[in-house]
Amino acid sequence: MSRLPQKAFMVGLGEVLGRGFAFLSTIYIARILGAEYYGYIVFAISVLGYALWFGDLGIQNLGVREIAKPVKHQRFLARELFITKVVLGVIVMLITLAGTYLFTPPGLKQQLILGYLCSLLPFALLLEWFFNGKQAFGKIVLSKVMMGACYLVLLLLFIQSKEQVELVPYLYTASACLAAITLGVFAFGESEFKLPSQGFRVYSDLMRANIKLGLGLFFTQMPILLPPLLVGTFVSITDNGLYGAAAKIVLIATALDKVLFRLLLPNVASRWANNQEHTRSILPELVTLGSCFGALTALVLALFAKQGMVLLFGMEFEPGYTILQALSIFVFCTFTHSMLSHTLIATAKDNAYVKTTFTGGMIGTIILVLSAFLGDAVIIALAVGIVELVFIGSSLYWFSKEITSVSLYRIMMPLALAIALFFICQTLPFPLWATSLVAVPVLLLSFFMTGILSGRQVELVKRALKT
């Protein structure tokens, strides 16, 4: 098995390159189309996000967890997972295409949604879950790079004005096909796919486990997918473009969360199977580290929100900086919530995972819908942060009940310190770069002074890097 730093580097490289190309593509599209037309793109992608959930349910996480185990311990085999994913994807694509055509008013919004829904097929064929479980991160990096680079090149070649906006989803679908083909070629000779199926009955068990995990994923994706639909419906399509640009910066800022998830899920699953007591002892420290890193990231993002929006997307998107500042709370919550919820998945606490996401999701949906009636994108962005805090509370309860207790103080205090420093920096009569240079080390030092961090976490990181 590769050393953890090598794995972290490969996963990080994949996220940086994959999200980097996607981010460059977003910047290009937003600048060419402007806030209004980009708002239509954001709306259509959110519809695709929900369709992707129905076409996958929980196979991404279930597949990673199963493939990470030795074959003799796997409840579901690679072939069974793949067949289920493809069948689901095809069924959902046909239903959503028909539903969009019949029930969405003709126009640009309908055309974009129909175009993006075509990408359901290549995503159904994408074997990223398989190679994540095998921790073959280099192959995933290659597929991400090829998809991102292909999409960016196609946009540069074919999108030169607003009038070509309807081509965008089909270019996205073409790049997704390339990623699916790339991983498919690598999987062609894998022995796991040559194993005979365990029989038709196993698919009913697989679907039950799949739906259980899928319900959890549905609610955890809600703070990402639902707000653009609400902003586009209750505020304006132009504000949706501003929200989409801010949200894209947030997704780049949380790239490390994806890196940690891809490392955490298979490694914790393996360690939990071998030594539960030792794993219990280190998990609270990992959650604390996630909260502290999330607070640092959120502070930097909030301080440079205005400059970042203008630099990346142009002056037309400047009004969206307040949305980005509001979403910085979401950044903090993402790291903490992911640590808690993904550990529940890795340790096979599926019932607890469903309960925590269902509780948080139901409350969160109500909060977001109510915020939408106020007709302000910034308020909806703030509501997204509140929803993630609800998720943290729900995850913390079940994490403590099923695995081990975690200090609420060490989870929430980093956020409180980051918010306090942000408002202090806003009142200081110094240039932004100067206050930011001071704020970050001050926040880091405050973590140790308040007892949130200690030498125990430092030693844990050192040992992990030597693993």
Side-chain angles (χ1 to χ4, degrees):
M1 183 178 289
S2 305
R3 290 165 60 89
L4 184 59
Q6 294 172 324
K7 294 179 186 177
F9 173 76
M10 292 306 298
V11 178
L13 182 64
E15 287 299 322
V16 169
L17 292 177
R19 293 196 181 206
F21 279 119
F23 193 50
L24 290 175
S25 300
T26 297
I27 293 172
Y28 180 76
I29 293 173
R31 284 180 171 271
I32 292 293
L33 302 181
E36 181 182 359
Y37 279 82
Y38 180 62
Y40 283 109
I41 294 287
V42 172
F43 191 95
I45 290 176
S46 294
V47 174
L48 171 64
Y50 276 111
L52 284 171
W53 174 83
F54 281 104
D56 180 270
L57 296 178
I59 287 182
Q60 288 290 341
N61 287 341
L62 182 63
V64 171
R65 190 175 73 190
E66 292 299 314
I67 300 302
K69 303 174 186 176
V71 174
K72 62 181 180 181
H73 293 149
Q74 289 178 7
R75 185 181 174 191
F76 308 113
L77 302 177
R79 174 184 291 195
E80 296 158 353
L81 291 161
F82 178 70
I83 290 173
T84 303
K85 194 173 191 304
V86 172
V87 171
L88 274 174
V90 172
I91 292 173
V92 171
M93 183 179 72
L94 294 176
I95 292 174
T96 52
L97 283 172
T100 301
Y101 183 79
L102 293 173
F103 300 111
T104 303
L108 179 59
K109 185 182 291 186
Q110 183 197 62
Q111 292 303 311
L112 291 175
I113 294 173
L114 289 172
Y116 275 111
L117 289 175
C118 293
S119 65
L120 284 169
L121 181 58
F123 278 117
L125 297 168
L126 191 65
L127 289 168
E128 189 172 322
W129 54 271
F130 175 75
F131 290 104
N132 267 327
K134 291 176 69 69
Q135 299 189 48
F137 300 125
K139 296 171 182 177
I140 297 174
V141 170
L142 179 61
S143 71
K144 286 180 177 292
V145 169
M146 293 184 70
M147 177 177 175
C150 175
Y151 184 46
L152 180 59
V153 170
L154 290 174
L155 288 174
L156 292 172
L157 290 175
F158 294 103
I159 307 299
Q160 307 294 332
S161 67
K162 296 178 181 179
E163 288 70 27
Q164 298 164 313
V165 63
E166 292 182 9
L167 288 176
V168 173
Y170 298 103
L171 302 181
Y172 180 78
T173 300
S175 62
C177 288
L178 181 60
I181 292 170
T182 301
L183 291 183
V185 170
F186 283 125
F188 186 75
E190 293 287 346
S191 60
E192 286 88 345
F193 287 99
K194 298 177 182 178
L195 296 173
S197 175
Q198 302 172 82
F200 182 78
R201 188 166 183 174
V202 74
Y203 289 98
S204 62
D205 295 333
L206 194 159
M207 281 304 298
R208 280 194 293 268
N210 192 26
I211 291 172
K212 187 181 291 186
L213 281 178
L215 286 174
L217 290 172
F218 177 82
F219 288 115
T220 57
Q221 288 294 304
M222 178 265 298
I224 298 173
L225 299 177
L226 183 57
L229 299 180
L230 295 175
V231 175
T233 302
F234 293 96
V235 187
S236 73
I237 204 69
T238 299
D239 281 304
N240 205 35
L242 299 178
Y243 184 95
K248 182 61 70 172
I249 295 176
V250 166
L251 291 178
I252 291 296
T254 56
L256 184 60
D257 170 63
K258 294 296 182 182
V259 176
L260 294 174
F261 160 63
R262 295 183 193 281
L263 290 171
L264 183 71
L265 190 56
N267 278 282
V268 170
S270 177
R271 289 175 182 270
W272 185 261
N274 295 324
N275 191 336
Q276 292 189 12
E277 289 304 314
H278 175 67
T279 307
R280 276 195 182 95
S281 68
I282 63 173
L283 286 176
E285 313 304 332
L286 292 175
V287 174
T288 300
L289 286 169
S291 297
C292 291
F293 190 86
L296 283 167
T297 307
L299 176 62
V300 173
L301 192 66
L303 288 173
F304 288 97
K306 187 173 184 178
Q307 291 76 7
M309 289 291 286
V310 174
L311 177 65
L312 295 171
F313 297 101
M315 289 301 298
E316 184 180 354
F317 287 82
E318 182 184 9
Y321 84 91
T322 52
I323 297 175
L324 181 55
Q325 288 178 333
L327 286 174
S328 63
I329 298 175
F330 171 83
V331 173
F332 160 79
C333 296
T334 294
F335 285 93
T336 306
H337 176 221
S338 291
M339 282 288 185
L340 294 168
S341 61
H342 288 143
T343 299
L344 291 173
I345 296 173
T347 55
K349 306 294 184 183
D350 293 352
N351 287 331
Y353 175 72
V354 171
K355 290 174 183 176
T356 185
T357 52
F358 180 80
T359 303
M362 291 300 293
I363 297 173
T365 301
I366 295 171
I367 292 173
L368 282 176
V369 172
L370 289 176
S371 71
F373 285 107
L374 298 175
D376 191 313
V378 176
I379 292 176
I380 294 176
L382 286 172
V384 170
I386 295 171
V387 168
E388 279 294 301
L389 289 173
V390 172
F391 271 113
I392 288 177
S394 180
S395 299
L396 182 60
Y397 171 79
W398 287 104
F399 185 94
S400 300
K401 185 175 181 179
E402 296 286 338
I403 301 176
T404 186
S405 61
V406 181
S407 169
L408 180 62
Y409 170 81
R410 293 170 67 189
I411 287 179
M412 298 308 301
M413 193 61 182
L415 176 62
L417 292 170
I419 291 174
L421 270 174
F422 170 76
F423 284 109
I424 291 172
C425 290
Q426 297 298 300
T427 61
L428 293 176
F430 302 112
L432 177 63
W433 64 267
T435 56
S436 301
L437 285 176
V438 175
V440 172
V442 167
L443 181 58
L444 186 59
L445 181 63
S446 69
F447 292 156
F448 288 93
M449 294 179 63
T450 55
I452 299 170
L453 291 181
S454 64
R456 177 175 171 80
Q457 288 88 7
V458 176
E459 288 302 317
L460 179 64
V461 172
K462 288 181 179 179
R463 287 200 304 269
L465 292 175
K466 294 177 182 178
T467 302

